[in-house]
Amino acid sequence: MAHLSRSLKLLFLSTSVGPLGSGLGGGVELTLKNIVRSLTHRNHEITVVAPGGSVLEGFSLVEIAGNLQTTAQSEGRDAWIGMPGNSVLANMWDYTRQVQTQYDLILNFAYDWLPFYLTPFFFCPVAHLVSMGSLTAAMDRAIAQVINQFPGTVAVHSRAQAQTFPFGNQCEVMGNGFDLSQYTFCPKPDNLLGWVGRLAPEKGLEDAVAVAKETGIPLKIWGIMQDVAYWHDICDQYPNAPISYEGFLPTAELQQALGKCRALLMTPRWVEAFGNVAIEAMACGVPVIAYDRGGPSEIVQSGKTGWLVEPDSITSLIEAIALLDPLDRAQCREYVEAEYSLTAMGDRLEAWFTNILTSRKP
Ligand code: UDP
């Protein structure tokens, strides 16, 4: 694997749907933080550009004012590109244009049209870490244009995510990496199930709630309340289910509570690009029961670190719960230490950056 012998100056552009630390950015927030940790440890110098109100303790952060982008998940395939007046996304890229000569590489974390459109206008190479699967034709087109003009500059988190795009085989697959020292292994769980994610329709929370109702095993739910109407619908549909909404917690508190679960249920309706929460659960020793599609199907080793079950089947989820006892919680932790550490991620990122920088030399 190619390694970088020199220290790079890197400019990271965060998601423009919410300030870092708000939870609105979903998994991107933790992913960005982990990548900053991993590369800083390797002596690269990183500055993060993010919407005003962001929190990123201990690292160099430039906060930019402006109105947030709306999230892309719920738009139809033919949705137009939309931007608010005084867009924070546009302001972030205006700032980047002015400082670009100070950096070796710009890394974009936003799933938005503008950064892809602007890529050829920049002198400094721009790499993109795409955080979701294909959602709209307009975005697919914008990403495809970058891949054609600058091969090797677009990365995704999983092969399943890549395959949702027509140009999937041209994407670099980065996986993800975590600071596992932040997660405590919990050998003995309580009789509890966990569900972690944005409360939004594509995450399929209702199926996990149906499982709680059928089995009587209490379900704890953690995550940002993105769609209140969706949550109320679920509560109306399952009035007596043994569930509790525990709010959106910082990692330190989340992992402590999550570790007490017998299993994490992952019931997304969409092709989950990766599923950070699967790794976080396993880091605490919690096996993952997930629908067999998208990122989780590449992360969970069925029968060892959890169970992959037929997508959208509540019966299959319930059957998997009956099979939890033979799973070894210590094996979940060992597996993520081997595959999803910051070191493993840092190696992959450095190799990716090396390829980009070598191919861009005049
Ligand atoms: N998360 C958190 N606190 C909570 C619930 C969730 O910090 O109480 C974070 C979690 O650590 C993960 C993110 O929210 O990084 C959800 O990311 P995931 O990749 O699972 O899904 P996405 O929201 O990107 O679709």
Side-chain angles (χ1 to χ4, degrees), residues 75-82 111-114 116-117 134-146 165-167:
E75 297 173 341
R77 282 217 64 83
D78 297 328
W80 286 31
I81 301 302
Y111 191 103
D112 282 298
W113 174 86
L114 188 71
F116 290 92
Y117 177 76
S134 172
L135 292 175
T136 68
M139 271 303 291
D140 284 8
R141 191 181 160 80
I143 303 172
Q145 280 174 337
V146 167
F165 295 106
F167 43 80

Side-chain angles (χ1 to χ4, degrees), residues 157-171:
H157 291 289
S158 66
R159 290 189 304 280
Q161 179 197 359
Q163 280 156 18
T164 64
F165 295 106
F167 43 80
N169 57 0
Q170 295 170 74
C171 297

Side-chain angles (χ1 to χ4, degrees), residues 25-28 30 196-198 203 222-223 247-249 251 254 270 272 275-277 280:
V28 175
L30 184 64
V196 188
R198 290 175 290 107
K203 293 289 189 176
W222 294 274
F248 179 80
L249 301 182
T251 303
L254 175 66
W270 70 348
E272 187 81 45
N276 280 353
V277 299
E280 298 184 86

